[in-house]
Amino acid sequence: METVKGYIEKIVYRNADNGYTVLSLSMSGEDSFEDEITCVGYFAAVDEGEFIEASGEFSNHSLYGEQLNVDSYSVKSPDDIDSIRKYLGAGSIKGLGEALADRIVRKFGLETFEIMEKQPERLAEVKGISTRKAMEIADQVEEKKDLRQAMIFLQKYGVSLSMAVKIYEQYGSGLYAVIRDNPYKMADEIAGIGFKAADEIAKKVGIQTDSHYRIKSGILYVLLQASSNGDVYLPMEDLTIRAKQLLEVESGEFEKNIMDLILDKRIIVRDEDRKAYVSNYYYTELNSAKMLHDLNVSEGKGQEKTEDYISKIEKDTGITLDELQKTAVMEAAHNGFLVITGGPGTGKTTTINAIIKYFSMTNHEILLAAPTGRAAKRMTEATGLEAQTIHRLLEISGNLGDSSYAARFERNEENPLEADVVIIDEASMVDMFLMHALLKAVTVGTRLILVGDVNQLPSVGPGNVLQDILECGCFKVVRLTKIFRQAQESDIVLNAHKINCGEKLDLKKPSKDFLFIKREDSNKIIAAMLTLILKKLPEYVECDVADIQVLTPMRKGMLGVERLNKILQDYLNPKDVSKREKEFQGIVFREGDKVMQIKNNYQLEWEMSNRYGVTVKRGMGIFNGDMGIIRTVNTYAEVMEVEFDEGRLVSYSFRQLDELEPAYAITIHKAQGSEYPAVVVPVLTGPRMLMNRNILYTAVTRAKKCVCLLGDEETIWQMTDNKSEQIRYSGLGERLKELKEGVGQPL
């Protein structure tokens, strides 16, 4: 066992999650730093410039030469003038460079750290340091010491470095009491730490399995896990079964803790039907129902005049509206709330344009929005008016308190949208929380029009908003059913409607935009996929390779997202010395890769620049499903830059890379609201709940010019025949019916 000491010259590599580090250490001799060696091992938290003592065994690496495999280390206060100077000037302390570090050391010598600890105000005796700056420097030195101690403490409980930083940022020195008394508190208060992670820590601390903290946290975890699958509530019977499986406790203990959670107002269980909600989910659903009910104001006068306007619209545009489209314009003119639904080729865009034309002629202020940037861009192109994402329409705020994952909007009941008409496209994608935020910003008297295809998959977030509204029977609904002649020329449109009706597709029929390639082996499917993407489709649909999207029903398996992305990355963006990359939790992120944001983060800042590199626009928020390209990977600064739609550039620290995943292949669910020049869909085998009509219909309708199905026809026919969809527990429709019947609960 060899022991060395010196200061860290350079951190060559560090895995932000497990702490594995390669660093260059300048070893201290009698008077100076004589040798530089490479150290490899697991380091909890170290910075360049720090002075350490490390023990381990030397070995000779075939590529990197001699290196010390570190078994243990400790961070020391530098014990000579040169070490102190190098530590302070290494850049790890904000606002302290080499020149200032040199002046501090010349002033205080070997007593520098003692002065910082016990008399930090004396740093102001050094030229260039104010009293305020002196205290800031001392605070940083102390904080780094506290953070390092916290990291080492948390590592004993199996906490990763990235998670340890989050815990320290949340609790500071109070984390020791949280770990000792109630680790489950972290699951409630820190994004990214779930019940299972907290439970593992609790076991190591010695907290009993029948602890009230554990049972209550487990019950909330089950409800929140259900929401990640789209559920707003769970029937009590379901909640009981799932929680008991998770917690392995007796029913008496479970029921007592349910009652405690109800008394603490953390969950609500309706007496009428024994449905269990997380409290804010219940009130969000109830308030949404009340606001929709209040918007539903009708006015019967002036129908003849509206008909005259419709005739004028037809004359001005040269387009003849069918009866359902005319009805949609009429209902929009005379109702505070309207829903328009229809499949591809049924004239939804023409109808929206006619409604816009009507309200423009009657001098109404109109706002257009959609749930995603891609959908908003398509809406802008189709209407000629600017459409925004709903988040941008509501003016998302950067002042969000403690959580990056909870939205706050400047537009709300106190500062409503200044518009007479608000039209929302792709409404099937709108989840319960986004709908609630939108409704808060729409005053009674402003018309709200939702447009969407109810046969597409429901929102990624909790709720079944569009379907609940359509099926409750409380509002005016126009269902567009006629497929127009131009759309009839597209097999994408015709086959989408056949899938929706459960009709068997003729997969052998020649088609210019709907292709089926028979392959009965997953590797042969992948080979055909690569040929299509690299050689055939770009020229055929006149687009870049990056614009072609692979859509698959599942994440796991031979044709799942995870395997396909690794293969597609190797062919579409192979490893190259000119491309920097970063491995994070088993995923390689490489410059040039296509990636997707997989959770809403309302605090991520983006900026847009002109061709001269001058920033012209800044904003907040990157959302679940947003796709972009990795432009730079900076392993020194531990930052990765991603360019999203419209040239929005976002910097991610390496600690934030769990918010991104490769997007050469994505699940069909994640493709909602998007449209691509061509899509390639592998269909072979998979879980029955994923291989259904709804999934296939959504995949096919994502293609603008060409859809390619790869697999065997039997699977496609089975999907078309399988109407079963995953049941979502959502009560918005019931709340709306209760309000209509006058039995709704008061707010």
Side-chain angles (χ1 to χ4, degrees):
M1 184 77 72
E2 299 279 349
T3 299
V4 298
K5 65 178 182 177
Y7 83 94
I8 299 171
E9 180 78 46
K10 181 175 176 58
I11 292 177
V12 180
Y13 170 81
R14 175 157 55 198
N15 184 313
D17 202 49
N18 64 19
Y20 181 77
T21 304
V22 179
L23 57 85
S24 176
L25 188 75
S26 285
M27 292 165 52
S28 60
E30 290 295 319
D31 301 307
S32 63
F33 295 91
E34 297 174 340
D35 297 307
E36 194 172 294
I37 63 166
T38 299
C39 296
V40 297
Y42 294 89
F43 293 80
V46 290
D47 284 314
E48 290 176 358
E50 287 191 310
F51 195 84
I52 66 169
E53 184 174 283
S55 298
E57 298 289 344
F58 278 102
S59 66
N60 245 309
H61 191 278
S62 58
L63 189 61
Y64 301 111
E66 189 178 55
Q67 58 186 31
L68 181 69
N69 300 302
V70 176
D71 291 321
S72 63
Y73 79 97
S74 59
V75 178
K76 304 280 188 181
S77 291
D79 55 6
D80 62 78
I81 296 292
D82 206 17
S83 297
I84 295 170
R85 183 184 294 109
K86 284 180 182 293
Y87 171 70
L88 292 177
S92 61
I93 298 173
K94 191 177 177 183
L96 195 58
E98 290 182 10
L100 201 51
D102 185 56
R103 290 205 294 272
I104 292 172
V105 173
R106 276 194 276 116
K107 174 73 177 175
F108 299 114
L110 293 173
E111 295 180 349
T112 296
F113 283 106
E114 188 178 349
I115 296 290
M116 285 181 168
E117 244 179 81
K118 298 176 180 176
Q119 298 174 282
E121 68 281 355
R122 286 195 60 198
L123 290 174
E125 296 173 18
V126 177
K127 185 180 178 182
I129 299 181
S130 63
T131 303
R132 180 179 173 182
K133 188 167 185 175
M135 301 311 292
E136 287 175 356
I137 291 169
D139 286 346
Q140 285 185 71
V141 171
E142 186 64 28
E143 186 181 352
K144 284 182 180 295
K145 189 168 81 174
D146 291 345
L147 173 60
R148 190 180 302 112
Q149 289 171 347
M151 295 284 202
I152 293 167
F153 171 78
L154 291 168
Q155 274 196 318
K156 292 190 294 187
Y157 299 103
V159 179
S160 70
L161 282 184
S162 56
M163 202 59 75
V165 171
K166 286 185 177 182
I167 295 170
Y168 181 80
E169 287 174 349
Q170 177 76 18
Y171 301 117
S173 59
L175 69 87
Y176 303 100
V178 171
I179 296 292
R180 182 185 66 243
D181 300 334
N182 179 17
Y184 300 100
K185 183 179 172 72
M186 296 186 297
D188 294 342
E189 297 177 350
I190 303 176
I193 297 185
F195 169 80
K196 291 189 175 179
D199 204 31
E200 283 299 314
I201 295 169
K203 284 177 188 174
K204 290 172 181 171
V205 172
I207 291 174
Q208 298 298 310
T209 55
D210 61 355
S211 157
H212 293 315
Y213 290 134
R214 179 175 185 267
I215 295 171
K216 286 191 277 193
S217 181
I219 291 166
L220 285 168
Y221 171 77
V222 169
L223 284 172
L224 291 170
Q225 277 296 104
S227 77
S228 70
N229 293 322
D231 296 320
V232 179
Y233 68 85
L234 282 179
M236 270 300 295
E237 184 181 353
D238 246 26
L239 174 60
T240 303
I241 291 169
R242 296 187 199 187
K244 283 180 181 175
Q245 285 175 345
L246 175 74
L247 298 165
E248 299 175 347
V249 294
E250 296 297 321
S251 57
E253 286 294 323
F254 176 76
E255 286 159 13
K256 179 186 182 306
N257 284 281
I258 279 276
M259 188 54 66
D260 286 347
L261 285 168
I262 293 170
L263 291 173
D264 291 342
K265 299 182 179 178
R266 299 184 73 185
I267 69 170
I268 287 173
V269 179
R270 283 170 49 96
D271 292 334
E272 306 93 315
D273 44 28
R274 303 303 290 161
K275 292 174 180 175
Y277 290 78
V278 176
S279 292
N280 69 309
Y281 282 50
Y282 178 73
Y283 289 114
T284 298
E285 185 177 87
L286 194 62
N287 282 326
S288 296
K290 179 66 167 62
M291 290 185 286
L292 282 166
H293 179 268
D294 291 347
L295 281 178
N296 192 30
V297 179
S298 298
E299 50 181 69
K301 295 180 181 179
Q303 292 201 3
E304 287 184 12
K305 194 170 183 181
T306 305
E307 288 173 0
D308 291 340
Y309 277 118
I310 292 172
S311 297
K312 190 171 187 326
I313 290 167
E314 290 181 311
K315 184 178 178 182
D316 289 350
T317 60
I319 295 172
T320 302
L321 303 175
D322 79 343
E323 287 307 310
L324 287 172
Q325 290 174 317
K326 289 178 182 177
T327 301
V329 179
M330 184 71 72
E331 298 293 5
H334 296 282
N335 288 281
F337 181 64
L338 172 68
V339 182
I340 301 169
T341 185
T346 56
K348 293 195 297 294
T349 299
T350 301
T351 305
I352 291 173
N353 280 327
I355 291 171
I356 290 170
K357 187 80 173 168
Y358 169 80
F359 284 118
S360 297
M361 292 165 70
T362 53
N363 297 316
H364 286 79
E365 188 73 27
I366 308 163
L367 290 174
L368 308 181
T372 67
R374 284 172 177 260
K377 186 178 179 183
R378 289 210 332 267
M379 197 180 189
T380 299
E381 291 166 353
T383 63
L385 291 181
E386 183 190 2
Q388 306 172 73
T389 63
I390 298 173
H391 292 91
R392 202 176 296 178
L393 177 77
L394 298 178
E395 297 176 17
I396 193 162
S397 168
N399 182 20
L400 305 172
D402 294 333
S403 176
S404 300
Y405 307 102
R408 182 178 168 220
F409 300 101
E410 294 298 327
R411 293 290 181 176
N412 49 43
E413 61 271 49
E414 295 175 0
N415 181 29
L417 293 168
E418 296 169 8
D420 302 306
V421 184
V422 178
I423 304 175
I424 305 295
D425 198 10
E426 296 287 357
S428 64
M429 295 181 65
V430 180
D431 66 28
M432 177 183 71
F433 289 109
L434 189 55
M435 177 56 72
H436 183 256
L438 174 66
L439 291 169
K440 283 168 66 178
V442 178
T443 56
V444 175
T446 297
R447 289 171 173 81
L448 178 61
I449 301 167
L450 304 183
V451 184
D453 183 351
V454 74
N455 294 307
Q456 286 186 33
L457 291 166
S459 59
V460 174
N464 209 1
V465 174
L466 185 63
Q467 190 165 329
D468 283 355
I469 290 171
L470 285 168
E471 292 181 356
C472 72
C474 301
F475 306 109
K476 292 288 184 182
V477 174
V478 178
R479 298 177 187 269
L480 303 174
T481 54
K482 179 182 175 181
I483 303 175
F484 286 87
R485 188 175 66 187
Q486 188 176 354
Q488 288 176 5
E489 297 172 5
S490 166
D491 285 324
I492 293 175
V493 171
L494 294 177
N495 285 335
H497 284 277
K498 285 181 180 179
I499 291 166
N500 195 37
C501 295
E503 295 179 26
K504 196 171 183 178
L505 302 181
D506 181 2
L507 297 172
K508 294 179 180 176
K509 173 190 169 187
S511 173
K512 64 181 181 181
D513 63 357
F514 194 98
L515 310 179
F516 170 69
I517 299 172
K518 184 172 181 176
R519 296 287 186 274
E520 296 180 348
D521 173 83
S522 59
N523 289 327
K524 290 178 181 177
I525 286 175
I526 292 169
M529 181 189 298
L530 290 167
T531 300
L532 284 168
I533 295 170
L534 291 168
K535 297 178 181 178
K536 305 289 186 183
L537 286 173
E539 185 177 351
Y540 186 66
V541 298
E542 300 175 323
C543 75
D544 293 333
V545 169
D547 294 327
I548 298 165
Q549 189 61 54
V550 176
L551 304 178
T552 178
M554 66 209 94
R555 291 196 59 81
K556 306 287 185 181
M558 297 295 282
L559 294 171
V561 162
E562 292 175 8
R563 180 171 185 249
L564 288 179
N565 270 317
K566 288 179 181 176
I567 294 169
L568 290 167
Q569 182 189 46
D570 287 343
Y571 282 89
L572 302 182
N573 189 31
K575 188 177 182 71
D576 190 287
V577 291
S578 67
K579 297 174 185 174
R580 290 169 294 183
E581 59 184 52
K582 165 68 181 173
E583 184 177 349
F584 182 83
Q585 296 181 353
I587 296 172
V588 173
F589 292 100
R590 184 175 297 140
E591 290 177 343
D593 275 342
K594 182 159 69 168
V595 292
M596 173 183 278
Q597 176 81 9
I598 58 171
K599 59 179 78 170
N600 289 336
N601 187 330
Y602 301 99
Q603 287 188 319
L604 272 177
E605 295 183 24
W606 54 262
E607 60 179 42
M608 295 165 64
S609 303
N610 61 21
R611 58 180 179 169
Y612 303 109
V614 177
T615 300
V616 294
K617 199 170 186 180
R618 285 190 173 88
M620 303 287 291
I622 298 295
F623 310 113
N624 192 350
D626 284 355
M627 292 173 70
I629 303 292
I630 297 174
R631 294 304 181 201
T632 61
V633 175
N634 188 329
T635 53
Y636 182 76
E638 298 193 341
V639 167
M640 190 168 86
E641 285 190 327
V642 179
E643 184 179 340
F644 290 93
D645 290 340
E646 301 175 316
R648 292 174 298 152
L649 199 65
V650 178
S651 288
Y652 289 82
S653 73
F654 284 176
R655 286 196 336 230
Q656 295 173 301
L657 296 187
D658 60 344
E659 298 186 20
L660 293 168
E661 68 180 21
Y664 296 105
I666 62 174
T667 61
I668 294 166
H669 220 131
K670 290 282 191 183
Q672 288 172 272
S674 296
E675 188 177 67
Y676 310 94
V679 299
V680 180
V681 188
V683 279
L684 194 59
T685 58
R688 180 173 169 77
M689 61 180 284
L690 291 178
M691 308 300 282
N692 63 40
R693 183 186 301 177
N694 207 207
I695 290 273
L696 184 59
Y697 175 83
T698 301
V700 167
T701 54
R702 298 308 89 209
K704 187 175 182 180
K705 295 182 179 179
C706 186
V707 61
C708 304
L709 302 181
L710 307 177
D712 76 308
E713 54 262 76
E714 192 62 38
T715 302
I716 295 169
W717 293 332
Q718 286 173 2
M719 290 180 77
T720 305
D721 195 47
N722 179 14
K723 198 177 178 182
S724 66
E725 298 171 34
Q726 186 178 350
I727 295 172
R728 283 198 170 197
Y729 293 120
S730 171
L732 180 62
E734 294 169 34
R735 304 293 83 75
L736 287 164
K737 287 177 186 175
E738 289 170 354
L739 286 167
K740 187 178 180 181
E741 293 162 6
V743 295
Q745 295 187 28
L747 299 181

